[in-house]
Amino acid sequence: MSGLETRTVSRDSLFQLAQVQVEQDEEAHKVRVRNLSDGGMMGEGNIRVQRGNRLKIELRNVGTVEGSVAWVQDNRFGIAFDEEIDSQLARKPAGTTSPPDAQTLERSWRYRAPTPPDPTSLRKI
């Protein structure tokens, strides 16, 4: 990767576990959350995902978040959330879900993941 930072959304480095379930897979996998922002996260673990896979992620103090795999490299992968979250909630001790004050909720819907396509409108190749 280049030394040039191209992201415009701040993200927090952290180390915590999350449960990830790939669409149409019954099993939930434990992954390490390496960094987290309001619009997505980087995960690491022994889980087979491909770019575009739909996921459900269970984050501490946040709950279940849905998103899509944006990139994959070795055992790390990026997830773009469908809806923005308050990523600071995940940093608080477990069970602490007090609402943050209005000044910390400067969210931007500009980085929202696109909605998944309707399966009936896709053509087979």
Side-chain angles (χ1 to χ4, degrees), residues 12 30 45 73 83 93 96 98 106 116:
D12 294 323
K30 285 187 181 181
Q73 184 177 26
E83 303 283 335
T96 307
S98 60
E106 296 178 29

Side-chain angles (χ1 to χ4, degrees), residues 108-123:
S108 168
W109 293 103
R110 189 166 120 192
Y111 302 102
R112 184 176 176 183
T115 56
D118 178 17
T120 59
S121 68
L122 299 176
R123 65 175 200 193

Side-chain angles (χ1 to χ4, degrees), residues 21-34:
Q21 184 176 1
V22 181
E23 185 178 49
Q24 298 177 352
D25 185 2
E26 296 295 322
E27 186 179 355
H29 304 271
K30 285 187 181 181
V31 299
R32 290 176 291 281
V33 179
R34 290 297 188 177

Side-chain angles (χ1 to χ4, degrees), residues 7-12 36-39 87-88:
R7 291 181 177 88
T8 57
V9 176
S10 64
R11 63 191 187 283
D12 294 323
L36 180 67
S37 71
D38 289 355
S87 58
Q88 294 303 311

Side-chain angles (χ1 to χ4, degrees), residues 16-23 25-33 41 43-47 49 54-67 77 79 81:
Q16 70 175 235
L17 293 176
Q19 294 282 342
V20 174
Q21 184 176 1
V22 181
E23 185 178 49
D25 185 2
E26 296 295 322
E27 186 179 355
H29 304 271
K30 285 187 181 181
V31 299
R32 290 176 291 281
V33 179
M41 66 173 255
E44 178 182 52
N46 295 326
I47 178 175
V49 293
R54 300 285 303 150
L55 305 172
K56 288 184 181 180
I57 307 99
E58 184 68 33
L59 292 170
R60 180 181 70 196
N61 292 337
V62 175
T64 303
V65 182
E66 294 187 9
F77 51 94
I79 300 172
F81 298 147

